[in-house]
């Protein structure tokens, strides 16, 4: 049953939200449900398509999931949760400055981790297996800022209650990847089979970069951004560091709980075995 305001009965907390924000939330929820429903067959189709191309091809796709988990859980300091918590605290005009400050901190934290990866690259196979050279793994880690920027823009849009835009950008990568893989499967299957790393990583990172640029433009437009001020100063809210360190620990735990099976299979079975595992579990 519905209330006179068009809300489900029992939604007392939602009723206290201002009308324009409530409309944004409800619209975002509808878009999330519909896009998630559309993504299910697309995700299944992507897995089935790559599985038909070969076990190493679908295994490379599984390796991409490990990479996303490593970047989100370790390299992206704090993760999306930091933006979801603190973006609503700021006035729209101050949000770009906070985003710039947090981006600077994330980049500073990323540099020593990439330096360690470069020095001890021979140990990267413990994360990504032995299917490629350590130099390749180092290169894809150096491309991690693309995913971090993409993740930051979608999280910022969610924090601004632009859930429709955030979900649209996320599905842009999902649907676009399926379209690119399908086109390669039909018109350039040899390239997809012989060079799956270039095909899969290039597609994902390219689409993520496009989505990040679109999302960043949307964030700056909504914030009324007119360029950096002459005197730049960091902008951080109270409790920022304590919350950031806590969420970083959670991110590592999520990586271990969500992708430990993939990492173990990569180390003890190889890319082809991981491909079979991904195909079966999907």
């Amino acid at each position: 049953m519905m209330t006179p305001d068009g809300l489900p009965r029992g939604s007392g907390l939602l009723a206290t939200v201002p009308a324009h924000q409530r409309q944004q939330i409800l619209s975002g929820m509808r878009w999330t449900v519909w896009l998630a429903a559309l993504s299910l067959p697309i995700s299944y189709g992507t897995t089935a398509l790559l599985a038909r191309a070969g076990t190493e091809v679908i295994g490379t796709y599984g390796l991409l999931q490990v990479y996303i988990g490593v970047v989100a859980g370790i390299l992206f300091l704090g993760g999306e949760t930091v933006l979801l918590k603190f973006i609503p605290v700021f006035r729209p005009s101050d949000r770009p400055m906070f985003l710039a400050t947090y981006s600077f901190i994330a980049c500073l934290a990323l540099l020593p981790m990439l330096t360690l990866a470069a020095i001890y690259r021979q140990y990267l196979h413990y994360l990504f297996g032995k299917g490629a050279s350590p130099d390749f793994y180092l290169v894809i880690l150096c491309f991690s800022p693309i995913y971090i920027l993409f993740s930051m823009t979608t999280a910022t849009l969610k924090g601004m209650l632009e859930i429709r835009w955030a979900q649209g950008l996320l599905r842009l990568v999902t649907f676009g990847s399926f379209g690119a893989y399908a086109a390669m499967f039909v018109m350039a299957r040899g390239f997809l089979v012989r060079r799956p790393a270039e095909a899969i990583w290039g597609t994902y990172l390219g689409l993520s970069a496009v989505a990040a640029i679109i999302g960043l433009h949307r964030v700056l437009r909504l914030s009324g951004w007119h360029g950096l001020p002459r005197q730049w100063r960091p902008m951080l809210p109270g409790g920022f560091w304590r919350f950031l360190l806590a969420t970083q620990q959670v991110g590592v735990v999520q990586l271990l709980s969500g992708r430990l099976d993939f990492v173990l299979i990569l180390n003890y079975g190889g890319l082809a075995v991981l491909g079979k595992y991904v195909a079966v579990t999907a």
Side-chain angles (χ1 to χ4, degrees):
M1 296 182 66
M2 308 295 287
T3 66
D5 294 331
L7 297 172
R9 291 198 180 276
S11 58
L13 184 61
L14 188 59
T16 63
V17 178
H20 69 284
Q21 291 184 354
R22 184 167 65 233
Q23 183 59 34
Q24 281 183 298
I25 294 172
L26 293 175
S27 175
M29 291 170 61
R30 287 193 293 267
W31 275 88
T32 300
V33 171
W34 283 110
L35 289 175
L38 289 174
S39 295
L40 286 175
I42 295 297
S43 298
Y44 175 78
T46 299
T47 304
L49 187 72
L50 296 178
R52 290 198 61 185
T55 54
E56 290 198 0
V57 179
I58 186 63
T60 303
Y61 184 69
L63 180 60
L64 175 63
Q65 310 309 311
V66 176
Y67 169 79
I68 293 172
V70 169
V71 176
I74 299 177
L75 300 185
F76 183 11
L77 184 66
E80 293 184 354
T81 311
V82 173
L83 291 161
L84 291 173
K85 176 175 175 60
F86 291 115
I87 280 291
V89 172
F90 291 96
R91 296 176 301 174
S93 59
D94 291 334
R95 287 167 180 167
M97 190 61 67
F98 167 65
L99 187 59
T101 304
Y102 183 37
S103 300
F104 181 72
I105 292 171
C107 289
L108 283 181
L110 181 62
L111 286 176
M113 289 188 277
L114 292 180
T115 301
L116 287 174
I119 296 173
Y120 300 105
R121 67 185 70 181
Q122 67 270 25
Y123 299 110
L124 290 177
H125 70 85
Y126 288 113
L127 282 176
F128 302 117
K130 301 178 181 179
S133 68
D135 290 335
F136 172 77
Y137 295 141
L138 180 61
V139 168
I140 60 174
L141 286 177
C142 289
F143 279 106
S144 60
I146 295 177
Y147 175 81
I148 292 174
L149 179 60
F150 171 57
S151 185
M152 292 182 80
T153 53
T154 54
T156 301
L157 287 168
K158 292 176 185 177
M160 298 169 69
L161 296 182
E162 291 290 323
I163 304 173
R164 179 176 59 180
W165 270 85
Q167 290 296 327
L169 292 174
L170 290 168
R171 306 312 168 188
L172 170 65
V173 176
T174 302
F175 298 163
S177 296
F178 174 75
Y181 300 150
M184 284 186 279
F185 185 82
V186 174
M187 297 182 290
R189 190 179 304 185
F191 172 74
L192 181 61
V193 173
R194 290 192 303 270
R195 307 183 72 88
E198 288 85 345
I200 291 175
W201 294 89
T203 297
Y204 181 81
L205 292 174
L207 288 171
S208 296
V210 171
I213 293 171
I214 296 172
L216 184 60
H217 179 268
R218 179 66 177 175
V219 169
L220 296 178
R221 183 179 178 183
L222 290 172
S223 302
W225 187 73
H226 300 293
L228 290 174
R230 293 182 180 180
Q231 187 175 2
W232 185 83
R233 60 182 179 84
M235 183 172 290
L236 294 175
F240 172 81
W241 291 106
R242 183 171 63 253
F243 187 81
L244 180 142
L245 294 175
T247 54
Q248 181 68 13
Q249 297 172 33
V250 173
V252 174
V253 172
Q254 288 178 339
L255 168 63
L256 294 175
S257 62
R259 289 291 175 253
L260 183 59
D261 53 346
F262 281 32
V263 173
L264 291 175
I265 292 171
L266 280 168
N267 278 276
Y268 293 102
L271 203 58
V273 176
L274 177 64
K276 296 176 182 179
Y277 180 77
V278 173
V280 170
T281 54

